[in-house]
Amino acid sequence: KAVVRNVYKCLQNTEKYMAIQYDYIDEILPDEIYFVTTEELAEIFPDNTPKEREYYIAKAKGAVCIMKIGRPRAGLRRLVPERRHRSALSGPRYRTRALQHGDPRR
């Protein structure tokens, strides 16, 4: 949260600078950023889709950091089994080429 607050403070400072430099730019960012998890959003807006929840909380609070995006919610099973992804630079083919060409990462 501290990192997000620091980044948000930088955005506010940039907004303030731009508002001073250009008369047609107003300061519109709220003073504080609101933190919420996806689970809390589901409790607040149970009848809406995740995209709608994000829209409504952003409209209500102005600046929002939504945490735990992409994690399965409690009580839900994964419908698709996890797959193990291999890097394009892993496996025996790459290791052989790396050794042939003197790759320092071996």
Side-chain angles (χ1 to χ4, degrees), residues 12-43:
Q12 287 177 315
N13 290 340
T14 301
E15 179 188 49
K16 186 175 294 215
Y17 173 80
M18 296 302 289
I20 291 169
Q21 293 294 318
Y22 303 98
D23 294 335
Y24 57 89
I25 295 178
D26 296 326
E27 293 182 44
I28 59 171
L29 293 175
D31 293 334
E32 294 292 322
I33 188 164
Y34 181 74
F35 292 90
V36 66
T37 65
T38 53
E39 293 164 352
E40 292 169 337
L41 277 180
E43 291 173 11

Side-chain angles (χ1 to χ4, degrees), residues 26-98:
D26 296 326
E27 293 182 44
I28 59 171
L29 293 175
D31 293 334
E32 294 292 322
I33 188 164
Y34 181 74
F35 292 90
V36 66
T37 65
T38 53
E39 293 164 352
E40 292 169 337
L41 277 180
E43 291 173 11
I44 297 169
F45 304 108
D47 298 330
N48 299 100
T49 66
K51 191 169 228 152
E52 291 170 335
R53 293 175 193 147
E54 293 172 11
Y55 174 80
Y56 291 134
I57 198 71
K59 274 297 229 190
K61 300 294 183 179
V64 181
C65 176
I66 302 173
M67 302 178 294
K68 298 184 180 181
I69 293 176
R71 294 185 184 177
R73 291 191 5 225
L76 296 179
R77 290 185 317 159
R78 280 188 91 87
L79 299 177
V80 180
E82 283 192 40
R83 292 186 181 163
R84 188 171 170 211
H85 296 286
R86 290 179 53 180
S87 167
L89 302 179
S90 67
R93 250 177 94 186
Y94 176 74
R95 275 189 240 120
T96 304
R97 269 191 259 134

